[in-house]
Amino acid sequence: MTERALRGGAPALAAIGAAAVAADVLVFRAMHPSAERYGGAHLAGFLAAFAVAIVLAALLRRRVAPHAVPRWGTLVLVALLIAFLRGGLLASLLDVFHASLGAAQAIASIASVAALLAALRRPGGDRDAAPAVRWDAFCIAAIACAVLLRLFYLGVPELIFEEAYYWNYAQHFDYGYLDHPLMVAWMIRAGVALLGNTELAVRSGAFLCWVGTGYFAWRLARELFGREAALGALMLAAVLPAYFFFGFFMSPDAPQTACWAASVYFAHRALAKGEARAWLALGAALGLGMISKYTIALLAIAVVLFVLLDRRSRGWLARREPYLGALIALVLFSPVIAWNWQHDWISFFFQSRGRIESGFSFSLHRFLGNILGLVTPTGIASIVGLGLAAWRMRADRAIDDTARASARLLGWLALVPLAVFAAASLFRVSKLNWTGPVWLPLLPYLALVAMPAPGAAGPRLLELCRRAWPPTIVACLLIYGAMLHWLGPGLPGARYPRDLHLIGWRDFGGDVERLVERLRRETGRDILVVGMDRNRIASGLAFYRTRYRERAGIANAAAPAFDTASESLFDEVGLMYELWFPAEREEGRTLLLVAKDASTLEDRDVLAHARPAGAVIEIPVRKAGRDAGRYFARLFEDYHADRRGEAR
């Protein structure tokens, strides 16, 4: 479309945009939303704007897009993505930046209508463009959508309990912890120092880690296959479930994944390209990965085994660079070693002997299901297809030796950790996040499968995968958008499961803190709040009681992190809470116990440690005006760490 034609359609587009925004605002206000309950009004307003834009665009089509042929299915999918993005923008303006409801809705309306008009201008895309151009446009649009979903929603949903637990790591600041190394705590500490005790601050490190993951995935693919494959690898790193969620929720997996991606890149440069200096960077990446999460050691083991088994690579054993890299990794990991030495090696025992001695559980089926969820069925089919293609071409002399070495190395770096996790699932419970980083060495090859390749010959399975990748990417983005919208503004008719993680705890934390303050005034005693499970309730209460105190301007707002314990006080497992709140130190304290089940507060094991000082109190949990569960609280006096015989 010529520049003159575009200028000619500008007045018509402006008129459509103004009418759509007006319809949006009128419908939104007519539903009388509040700052807590606006999800339905926002979606109704967007639907009105979409309808007005569609009708007016059809009437003014000769001026707006005279040569465009609408593809209504594509248009509806794009509109859904815009609606989900708009929900995140609106929620961020309200919850993170504390804008007024009217101003936030106006900004979100203008932005979403502008995006709709762009889609209406080219409703079917440029179908006359070359496949490579369409591929670039699709990749850029998918990457932009995935990044904006993260940014718009990063501070909107309540923390999941793991994030709240790691926030408590950062409050009890140290250079080592029982169940994970230090990196997650230090990153949260930095985010909180810059942005305060908010969900955005806790998760900001996860987003930055994703940027690192995407960068090294892009660099590796570019060196292997060129710019188009690099763009595809970056898109997969942005959209595949493993990397989308590792780059959203803050956990040790976020920095570990970034370090894993860097380690794969530098291992390739060292072993496939023969670059000596890459060993030093590899050592740094592995060292940072080891202070993020111990499982990256599997990648280090894979590198060592490759050097030992590969004839061309064994020459590095006589060079100093690999040993210097190992020394760098050891120096970076040394704070964790020092902390374990000071604490009787409890973290190393917990992650090794403790895991081995846990109960038997065959979970191979769960392991396979987790892989399916992390990489998508299309990703699994593509990996199988790539394996079949590699087997058929193993004797093809036309393949460059460097390309063959790269494929052999990257396949090995994926296979070794995967085999260890698969073996572990034969007798231990398989966790969802186990294999997320494992697929990073294969992203360039998955991108190669996803790219358009007119006339290319290859296995039928890979051709089917090539066709399946675009709808898979779009489906992933729609699922993410719907899920985040549900966790934020909400979805009409979609209820919240009761007591799921920390949904609704922004208000619940304030309810508990007000109860604590009332009991302090009535009893004249300092009160220790105790969450009656391993670490979920305590972690969530510590964070959201702190947030309430900060908003209310209460002095010493950070106190809840240091007066919220777990059920480890009652002879149960509490992970780091056992170190933060030793039972002997809490002798004689007055406790407010908070539990999911009221019967927990009348259990004989609990009564053997403390004396009830009040009735059971029910505290409802609500989110966006909807029921999200309920908890129960009860005051106890005269806590003793040792069991004192019969319950009274």
Side-chain angles (χ1 to χ4, degrees):
M1 197 173 292
T2 66
E3 184 179 348
R4 181 177 178 183
L6 288 169
R7 288 199 304 268
L13 282 173
I16 294 172
V21 169
D24 186 350
V25 172
L26 287 172
V27 170
F28 183 85
R29 293 185 177 178
M31 297 182 70
H32 303 290
S34 67
E36 291 75 31
R37 302 181 66 177
Y38 56 87
H42 128 72
L43 290 174
F46 178 80
L47 183 61
F50 181 61
V52 167
I54 287 289
V55 171
L56 292 180
L59 294 174
L60 301 174
R61 181 179 162 195
R62 292 181 179 276
R63 295 186 180 182
V64 176
H67 306 293
V69 179
R71 298 180 67 177
W72 296 106
T74 301
L75 200 57
V76 169
L77 293 177
V78 170
L80 276 174
L81 286 172
I82 293 172
F84 294 144
L85 286 167
R86 162 190 158 120
L89 176 59
L90 179 57
S92 282
L93 290 170
L94 291 170
D95 297 338
V96 178
F97 298 102
H98 308 295
S100 68
L101 183 61
Q105 197 273 334
I107 294 170
S109 176
I110 292 170
S112 58
V113 167
L116 271 177
L117 294 181
L120 287 170
R121 188 79 190 207
R122 291 180 180 271
D126 193 349
R127 282 172 283 181
D128 295 328
V133 174
R134 294 202 305 271
W135 167 253
D136 285 359
F138 178 78
C139 288
I140 291 169
I143 293 167
C145 187
V147 170
L148 289 176
L149 278 173
R150 286 187 182 91
L151 289 176
F152 287 170
Y153 282 99
L154 208 60
V156 174
E158 290 95 343
L159 300 182
I160 60 176
F161 86 87
E162 290 95 339
E163 292 176 300
Y165 179 50
Y166 301 133
W167 174 86
N168 279 273
Y169 270 26
Q171 301 305 301
H172 300 268
F173 199 48
D174 209 338
Y175 55 95
Y177 301 90
L178 170 67
D179 34 346
H180 287 293
L182 60 89
M183 183 68 84
V184 66
W186 287 39
M187 294 190 73
I188 292 175
R189 181 85 169 196
V192 167
L194 292 172
L195 302 171
N197 285 306
T198 64
E199 291 87 353
L200 177 64
V202 173
R203 294 185 179 126
S204 58
F207 179 78
L208 294 177
C209 287
W210 174 80
V211 172
T213 300
Y215 171 75
F216 285 109
W218 177 80
R219 284 285 302 270
L220 179 63
R222 186 177 179 87
E223 292 186 7
L224 285 170
F225 303 123
R227 188 190 64 83
E228 288 184 8
L231 196 58
L234 180 58
M235 177 188 68
L236 293 176
V239 176
L240 283 178
Y243 311 119
F244 184 89
F245 290 113
F246 287 174
F248 186 91
F249 296 110
M250 189 61 197
S251 73
D253 294 294
Q256 179 195 235
T257 301
C259 293
W260 201 299
S263 298
V264 168
Y265 172 74
F266 290 118
H268 178 262
R269 291 197 65 85
L271 291 169
K273 300 275 188 175
E275 184 178 305
R277 289 181 301 174
W279 283 104
L280 308 184
L282 173 60
L286 287 172
L288 292 173
M290 283 295 292
I291 62 172
S292 300
K293 194 173 181 180
Y294 297 134
T295 49
I296 199 173
L298 296 176
L299 183 63
I301 292 170
V303 171
V304 171
L305 290 176
F306 188 86
V307 172
L308 294 174
L309 297 175
D310 183 65
R311 180 177 55 82
R312 291 178 50 185
S313 301
R314 281 197 288 271
W316 286 109
L317 295 173
R319 301 278 298 272
R320 65 178 181 176
E321 288 85 3
Y323 303 102
L324 289 174
L327 180 61
I328 291 172
L330 181 62
V331 169
L332 289 170
F333 188 56
S334 61
V336 177
I337 299 174
W339 186 89
N340 272 274
W341 176 65
Q342 293 174 346
H343 292 82
D344 298 322
W345 311 104
I346 57 173
S347 182
F348 294 158
F349 282 132
F350 178 82
Q351 294 291 358
S352 56
R353 188 177 66 188
R355 300 294 188 189
I356 294 172
E357 292 176 353
S358 61
F360 174 83
S361 178
F362 178 82
S363 62
L364 182 61
H365 56 293
R366 181 174 173 176
F367 172 77
L368 297 174
N370 289 340
I371 292 176
L372 203 63
L374 288 172
V375 191
T376 74
T378 303
I380 295 301
S382 298
I383 292 168
V384 172
L386 285 167
L388 294 174
W391 179 259
R392 293 175 184 175
M393 294 187 295
R394 64 189 186 281
D396 189 347
R397 296 185 178 180
I399 299 176
D400 180 76
D401 286 343
T402 303
R404 195 186 299 276
S406 295
R408 186 167 60 249
L409 169 65
L410 294 173
W412 178 262
L413 295 183
L415 180 61
V416 170
L418 182 66
V420 173
F421 289 132
S425 72
L426 297 176
F427 52 91
R428 292 292 176 265
V429 174
S430 174
K431 295 187 177 180
L432 178 63
N433 57 347
W434 275 6
T435 67
V438 165
W439 313 105
L440 287 167
L442 303 183
L443 282 190
Y445 299 95
L446 293 178
L448 210 60
V449 173
M451 286 169 50
R460 175 66 174 165
L461 178 58
L462 289 182
E463 179 58 31
L464 293 174
C465 291
R466 182 171 288 113
R467 296 178 184 177
W469 269 117
T472 297
I473 296 299
V474 173
C476 284
L477 292 172
L478 287 170
I479 291 170
Y480 305 152
M483 185 197 76
L484 292 172
H485 198 287
W486 173 69
L487 289 173
L491 291 172
R495 297 182 177 181
Y496 295 108
R498 296 172 63 84
D499 308 327
L500 176 64
H501 291 299
L502 305 182
I503 287 179
W505 277 47
R506 283 196 184 104
D507 293 333
F508 177 66
D511 293 338
V512 172
E513 183 60 22
R514 285 188 292 271
L515 174 61
V516 171
E517 290 300 322
R518 177 172 67 81
L519 293 173
R520 280 176 180 155
R521 290 193 300 269
E522 292 176 356
T523 63
R525 298 175 183 173
D526 186 38
I527 293 175
L528 177 67
V529 178
V530 180
M532 294 303 290
D533 63 7
R534 186 171 72 170
N535 61 355
R536 298 187 180 201
I537 297 175
S539 299
L541 284 178
F543 180 80
Y544 283 106
R545 287 175 61 209
T546 298
R547 287 216 59 193
Y548 168 79
R549 291 170 68 95
E550 289 179 337
R551 292 195 300 269
I554 299 174
N556 195 17
F562 303 97
D563 66 12
T564 311
S566 84
E567 67 176 2
S568 62
L569 296 181
F570 296 93
D571 308 315
E572 301 291 341
V573 175
L575 299 180
M576 278 304 300
Y577 281 96
E578 298 175 32
L579 279 70
W580 294 333
F581 298 91
E584 298 77 16
R585 195 182 67 191
E586 311 303 335
E587 285 284 336
R589 294 289 300 272
T590 298
L591 314 179
L592 179 67
L593 273 53
V594 181
K596 280 186 178 182
D597 192 336
S599 64
T600 302
L601 307 179
E602 299 174 346
D603 188 270
R604 290 177 60 87
D605 289 337
V606 171
L607 298 176
H609 286 276
R611 181 177 66 253
V616 174
I617 302 169
E618 182 178 310
I619 309 175
V621 181
R622 298 186 67 79
K623 180 176 174 65
R626 301 175 187 172
D627 179 37
R630 63 198 62 250
Y631 283 77
F632 301 88
R634 192 178 190 185
L635 192 67
F636 286 79
E637 294 178 339
D638 193 24
Y639 169 78
H640 283 266
D642 63 313
R643 300 168 64 90
R644 291 177 292 166
E646 293 294 324
R648 291 157 296 174

